[in-house]
Amino acid sequence: MTNLPTQLEPTLASRLADHVDAERKLGRALESLGPLRDRDVALLDGGAIGRREAEAIGARVTAVASAEATGLPEASMDAVLSLWSAFRGPDPAQVAEADRILRPGGRLLVVHDYGRDDISRLRPGDHPEYGPWSRREGPFLAAGWRIRVVHCWWTFDSLDDAATALEAAFGTLGADLAAGLTRPRLSYNVAIYHRSRSMPADGGGESA
């Protein structure tokens, strides 16, 4: 499951996916940055949440397995949507392939975790998405991309439900995080790095 902080057994991943961003804030942000509704969208590494959001928006989704070689015709897509595992840096070859398949003015939307939230406590250690990538001198903004930060939640039915799910998925880390909760939800911040096929050279940021 590429849209959770770690690889999980499929049953656990599916169970947690039901609790991620129940308010659909990520989907609304993607639509506002696209738009994606009634558009041809190449979906990379979306997992359950990525496909859920793209289809709920009303996009015409084509799933592709490789960011470097999509197998799609030139100028055939209105948007490329990548969630979590591709465009890590971003890779110039992946950007070139996205530009090849995008129509003029087409949109490239890349979702990564942003950190500074409860969920990042489930991933100890250094992760570039939690710092360097979102800085003005980082690989995205310095290359002219823009960023929107979406403040989402993992929402559970009760504190007991949260504790059970988090411990099952993340062991001691999940149990420790759940023990400190006073309400059954965890903060989860997501960054959407975005650019057009023909983009201005300036960078910047925004928050949602």
Side-chain angles (χ1 to χ4, degrees):
M1 186 94 174
T2 57
N3 46 323
L4 293 172
T6 188
Q7 293 295 318
L8 299 175
E9 186 273 326
T11 301
L12 286 173
S14 178
R15 177 182 176 185
L16 279 180
D18 292 337
H19 299 284
V20 177
D21 189 29
E23 299 84 0
R24 299 294 197 269
K25 294 182 70 175
L26 177 58
R28 292 197 298 273
L30 290 169
E31 170 63 7
S32 72
L33 293 171
L36 304 182
R37 185 178 302 278
D38 296 326
R39 306 296 175 94
D40 296 313
V41 178
L43 177 65
L44 280 154
D45 52 59
I49 293 176
R51 180 166 286 280
R52 178 191 76 187
E53 296 301 339
E55 292 180 347
I57 290 168
R60 295 189 294 269
V61 175
T62 299
V64 294
S66 171
E68 293 87 357
T70 63
L72 296 175
E74 184 174 347
S76 60
M77 293 286 118
D78 297 304
V80 173
L81 173 58
S82 172
L83 298 107
W84 288 282
S85 69
F87 296 92
R88 298 186 64 82
D91 183 280
Q94 295 178 349
V95 174
E97 174 66 0
D99 282 347
R100 185 189 70 81
I101 67 173
L102 284 172
R103 296 174 177 130
R107 299 287 285 156
L108 175 53
L109 308 174
V110 173
V111 174
H112 287 299
D113 285 0
Y114 183 74
R116 296 83 156 174
D117 58 15
D118 292 331
I119 300 304
S120 61
R121 294 169 56 190
L122 299 171
R123 297 183 67 196
D126 295 326
H127 301 279
E129 55 265 55
Y130 289 169
W133 284 358
S134 59
R135 295 173 184 154
R136 286 195 173 273
E137 68 276 14
F140 285 98
L141 301 191
W145 295 64
R146 298 183 68 85
I147 181 176
R148 176 175 293 187
V149 179
V150 186
H151 304 290
C152 304
W153 302 93
W154 288 18
T155 305
F156 298 88
D157 294 333
S158 67
L159 287 171
D160 286 343
D161 184 34
T164 300
L166 292 172
E167 183 171 6
F170 303 104
T172 301
L173 286 173
D176 290 346
L177 179 57
L181 296 178
T182 58
R183 53 184 177 174
R185 66 178 188 174
L186 290 75
S187 59
Y188 181 42
N189 297 329
V190 180
I192 306 174
Y193 298 95
H194 56 99
R195 71 191 283 272
S196 296
R197 181 185 175 208
S198 300
M199 69 173 187
D202 63 323
E206 52 191 298
S207 181

